[in-house]
């Protein structure tokens, strides 16, 4: 069994996530406490008690999801999982890439919390509310979605932007840009054979050229952060390939703000490199659900509860002993 760890992105947040972990273990409790200290506010209280509308704000959801992922990861470590020995690669969806880098030792937990707060605020502020939108195109591949996005931008008029934001799996692609362009692209996608174009309830058009002000903010923020070489390769969103060079990691994190999240290609590439089991570390089951649709020979497993973590850790350690 060759293993990769994946870390979820925005949309997987839920009030109460990670609370039982912190109540049941010192390791998880310490993660929440460190993030609270880094942000100089009780983010943990918001995570556990809500309200959901406030937790879902981009500036809160991003560090919150990372916190839960790292709490789960620290519990795996406490149960004997050794990233360098047991895991071939790590990867994260959008903000999850920061979680992956933290687990791999490239970023400190404190620095990651601060970076994600900057990232969330900058992404929210980049486009006035109501001007941008995102839509999930179902039943169409990335090539068809890109064509629909180009047609939508052209139909909306000069200067309108619509791009592929997330290439999630063979039947789900998310587009992002000016609201009118995204709406027009949805209609174009249906004409090209998409089963459905679903407008998403998001506060800003992420992962498109409209996020350039946020990319500039991250360039500045990352300039003051020390990035270490990760102990295992991290599959980057924008290249769908492994990276370990700190300077390249920084460059790709900036490019990620406006670039496409190439998740389908990332999972396919890791599977081609021998990964047979993808463990989703943190809240939700979105990423593990995508695995079979991308790599039929691989398996996706989610873990958030203490029982799920215990089972996963035991299986990972046992697989190491067999090999």
């Amino acid at each position: 069994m060759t293993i990769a760890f994946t870390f979820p992105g925005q949309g997987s947040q839920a009030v109460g996530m990670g609370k039982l972990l912190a109540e049941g273990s010192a390791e998880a409790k310490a993660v929440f406490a460190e993030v609270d200290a880094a942000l100089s506010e009780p983010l943990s209280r918001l995570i556990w008690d809500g309200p959901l509308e406030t937790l879902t704000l981009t500036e809160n959801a991003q560090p919150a999801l990372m916190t839960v992922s790292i709490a789960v990861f620290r519990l795996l470590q406490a149960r004997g999982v050794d990233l360098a020995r047991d895991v071939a690669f790590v990867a994260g969806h959008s903000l999850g890439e920061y979680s992956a880098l933290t687990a791999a030792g490239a970023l400190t937990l404190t620095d990651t919390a601060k970076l994600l707060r900057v990232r969330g605020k900058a992404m929210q502020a980049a486009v006035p509310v109501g001007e941008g939108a995102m839509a999930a195109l179902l039943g169409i591949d990335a090539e068809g979605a890109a064509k629909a996005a180009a047609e939508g931008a052209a139909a909306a008029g000069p200067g309108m932007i619509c791009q592929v934001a997330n290439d999630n799996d063979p039947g789900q692609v998310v587009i992002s840009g000016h609201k009118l362009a995204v709406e027009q692209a949805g209609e174009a996608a249906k004409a090209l054979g998409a089963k459905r174009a679903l407008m998403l309830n998001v506060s800003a058009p992420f992962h498109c050229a409209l996020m350039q002000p946020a990319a500039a903010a991250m360039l500045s923020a990352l300039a003051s952060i020390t990035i270490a070489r990760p102990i295992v390769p991290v599959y980057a969103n924008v290249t769908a390939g492994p990276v370990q060079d700190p300077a390249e990691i920084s460059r790709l994190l900036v490019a990620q703000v406006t670039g496409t999240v190439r998740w389908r290609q990332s999972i396919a590439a890791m599977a081609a490199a021998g990964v047979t089991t993808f463990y989703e570390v943190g809240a939700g089951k979105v990423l593990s659900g995508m695995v079979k649709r991308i790599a039929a020979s691989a398996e996706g497993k989610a873990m958030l509860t203490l029982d799920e973590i215990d089972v996963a850790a035991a299986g990972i350690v046992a697989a190491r002993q067999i090999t």
Side-chain angles (χ1 to χ4, degrees):
M1 180 171 70
T2 301
I3 293 166
F5 280 175
T6 63
F7 297 81
Q10 203 162 332
S12 291
Q13 66 274 3
V15 172
M17 61 183 183
K19 186 175 184 179
L20 293 178
L21 303 183
E23 291 176 345
S25 69
E27 294 87 357
K29 184 177 180 180
V31 171
F32 285 94
E34 184 173 341
V35 172
D36 285 352
L39 299 179
S40 300
E41 66 179 65
L43 182 67
S44 58
R45 188 184 306 161
L46 174 62
I47 296 171
W48 297 335
D49 300 332
L52 180 61
E53 313 87 76
T54 306
L55 177 61
T56 300
L57 293 175
T58 301
E59 66 186 71
N60 294 325
Q62 294 196 17
L65 285 161
M66 180 277 299
T67 302
V68 175
S69 284
I70 298 305
V72 172
F73 177 71
R74 294 280 170 82
L75 286 173
L76 289 168
Q77 289 181 305
R79 285 153 174 75
V81 174
D82 184 313
L83 192 74
R85 286 189 297 174
D86 299 327
V87 178
F89 309 112
V90 295
H93 193 284
S94 191
L95 81 90
E97 191 164 322
Y98 286 80
S99 306
L101 288 163
T102 306
L107 293 170
T108 69
L109 177 58
T110 292
D111 283 345
T112 303
K114 292 177 178 178
L115 285 170
L116 286 175
R117 174 53 59 82
V118 170
R119 185 178 184 266
K121 286 185 173 181
M123 291 174 81
Q124 182 61 65
V127 180
V129 175
E131 287 192 12
M134 299 180 77
L137 307 182
L138 307 180
I140 193 170
D141 61 16
E143 184 178 352
K147 183 177 181 181
E151 291 182 7
M160 292 289 103
I161 288 171
C162 185
Q163 298 171 221
V164 172
N166 306 333
D167 182 1
N168 284 332
D169 66 38
Q172 184 197 110
V173 182
V174 176
I175 56 174
S176 180
H178 286 106
K179 184 177 181 181
L180 178 58
V182 170
E183 291 171 342
Q184 295 283 355
E187 294 303 313
K190 286 185 279 188
L192 290 168
K195 294 178 182 177
R196 192 176 179 191
L198 178 65
M199 298 298 289
L200 300 181
N201 182 22
V202 295
S203 56
F206 306 131
H207 297 293
C208 76
L210 294 175
M211 287 288 109
Q212 186 55 48
M218 292 313 298
L219 178 64
S220 177
L222 285 160
S224 64
I225 297 296
T226 297
I227 299 177
R229 183 176 177 85
I231 59 176
V232 297
V234 180
Y235 267 71
N237 284 181
V238 295
T239 62
V243 60
Q244 285 185 284
D245 176 68
E248 182 69 355
I249 288 170
S250 182
R251 186 187 72 80
L252 292 174
L253 287 176
V254 174
Q256 186 220 62
V257 178
T258 57
T260 301
V261 175
R262 302 183 186 280
W263 194 250
R264 174 181 59 84
Q265 297 97 319
S266 296
I267 296 298
M270 286 185 276
V275 174
T276 56
T277 307
F278 293 85
Y279 283 97
E280 185 171 1
V281 184
K285 299 181 179 181
V286 174
L287 302 182
S288 50
M290 292 178 184
V291 169
K292 276 294 182 185
R293 298 193 291 272
I294 299 170
S297 61
E299 184 178 15
K301 296 182 178 182
M303 53 177 160
L304 175 60
T305 68
L306 284 169
D307 284 347
E308 289 169 342
I309 293 166
D310 286 340
V311 170
I316 292 168
V317 172
R320 177 215 305 161
Q321 293 169 346
I322 291 171
T323 57

